Amino acid sequence: MPPSGQSILFSENRLTYVSQDALHIPSVLTRMYGSKVTSLDLSYNRICTLDGLQYFRNLNELMLDNNQLDDNINFPYISSLHTLSLNNNKISQLEYFLAKVKDSFPNLKYLSILGNTACPSQISHVDKDEEDYQRYRYFVLYILPNLDFLDSRTVTFQERYEGKQRGMYMKIVRPSFQNNCIEEKNCNRKVYSPLPALPMKSHHGIYGKCVYRYTGKHSEGNRFIRNNDL
């Protein structure tokens, strides 16, 4: 069903289309408003693809909070965009996501991805602490050094400096499921033995007593023999 006029709000170059259970950007929005819009809000839908976003060539702000966007997300190139909000989606691969953002939005100043797996904030991850979140901020600023605002707070001079100096070492690496399977298979392998396996009935235990006698030149008795006795 095409969106009704009541669900579309357009005023002063700002287009709002929220809480409509949309799975994608309706084509009517691109046809009617594409070139006019500078601020686009598509929050609280079920959007899982951004096909059609390329028609909004003059965007400054893009709000996509509370949708179904994941690591397969693809952005068109929009040089004018300075604000991107993707809170509460399904983004998990931070480095992969940031690379796409960097290539598509070279003038981005504001970014928020709270509520995604890629963002280790205490709000959505009970097992994370402030130190985890700070390392994440350093890494984001290493990839996107021109950000002025990240998530819920302003980027400080110290954060920008730390991100430049050591942000590359703050990358979070998660073991893949495939690697876990390989390790599990290796653990289940039998230990190699060069000896043939013998049935239990052919095994014979041997018990006995051994006596060793040493008569070399370093034996205890040789300590009392003089050279002229040899």
Side-chain angles (χ1 to χ4, degrees):
M1 179 182 295
S4 64
Q6 294 180 347
S7 62
I8 301 173
L9 299 177
F10 180 70
S11 176
E12 298 180 353
N13 298 326
R14 178 182 177 86
L15 177 62
T16 302
Y17 185 73
V18 301
S19 302
Q20 300 299 317
D21 286 334
L23 301 177
H24 55 82
I25 301 174
S27 58
V28 65
L29 299 184
T30 63
R31 291 197 308 269
M32 295 179 62
Y33 306 102
S35 61
K36 306 174 185 177
V37 176
T38 58
S39 179
L40 178 61
D41 190 352
L42 298 172
S43 301
Y44 294 95
N45 283 289
R46 292 188 293 154
I47 294 175
C48 55
T49 175
L50 294 181
D51 291 344
L53 187 62
Q54 66 271 21
Y55 297 107
F56 296 88
R57 297 182 297 272
N58 300 313
L59 277 183
N60 296 327
E61 302 175 348
L62 177 59
M63 277 67 72
L64 294 164
D65 301 334
N66 295 280
N67 278 289
Q68 303 294 317
L69 296 164
D70 57 20
D71 293 322
N72 295 318
I73 186 174
N74 287 308
F75 301 108
Y77 181 82
I78 305 177
S79 61
S80 59
L81 194 78
H82 58 66
T83 298
L84 176 63
S85 185
L86 277 159
N87 299 316
N88 296 318
N89 277 274
K90 296 183 177 181
I91 299 167
S92 60
Q93 300 297 326
L94 180 61
E95 185 176 17
Y96 186 51
F97 167 76
L98 293 177
K100 292 182 178 182
V101 170
K102 182 178 181 179
D103 291 341
S104 300
F105 312 127
N107 295 305
L108 194 68
K109 298 296 182 181
Y110 176 104
L111 174 65
S112 185
I113 57 172
L114 290 169
N116 288 275
T117 305
C119 175
S121 67
Q122 293 176 283
I123 298 175
S124 54
H125 297 76
V126 295
D127 59 330
K128 303 298 181 182
D129 55 24
E130 180 61 26
E131 186 176 345
D132 295 317
Y133 180 68
Q134 190 61 65
R135 285 197 297 267
Y136 147 84
R137 288 179 68 88
Y138 290 152
F139 183 71
V140 173
L141 292 172
Y142 170 72
I143 302 296
L144 304 174
N146 295 324
L147 285 182
D148 292 330
F149 201 96
L150 176 59
D151 296 332
S152 60
R153 63 182 191 236
T154 303
V155 174
T156 65
F157 174 82
Q158 184 64 27
E159 283 182 321
R160 198 182 305 279
Y161 175 80
E162 293 292 341
K164 180 179 179 181
Q165 294 297 317
R166 57 194 184 99
M168 64 181 297
Y169 305 111
M170 302 297 169
K171 177 182 177 181
I172 300 174
V173 180
R174 295 182 176 87
S176 65
F177 177 75
Q178 182 178 2
N179 290 337
N180 290 340
C181 292
I182 294 175
E183 291 178 1
E184 184 176 351
K185 289 180 181 179
N186 291 336
C187 291
N188 292 333
R189 288 180 179 175
K190 295 181 179 180
V191 178
Y192 172 75
S193 174
L195 299 177
L198 297 176
M200 292 300 296
K201 63 181 181 179
S202 63
H203 175 73
H204 300 283
I206 300 176
Y207 299 90
K209 182 178 181 181
C210 294
V211 177
Y212 294 94
R213 182 180 179 184
Y214 181 69
T215 58
K217 65 178 181 178
H218 297 296
S219 65
E220 290 292 326
N222 288 341
R223 293 191 301 171
F224 305 100
I225 300 176
R226 294 189 297 271
N227 290 336
N228 56 4
D229 292 332
L230 297 176

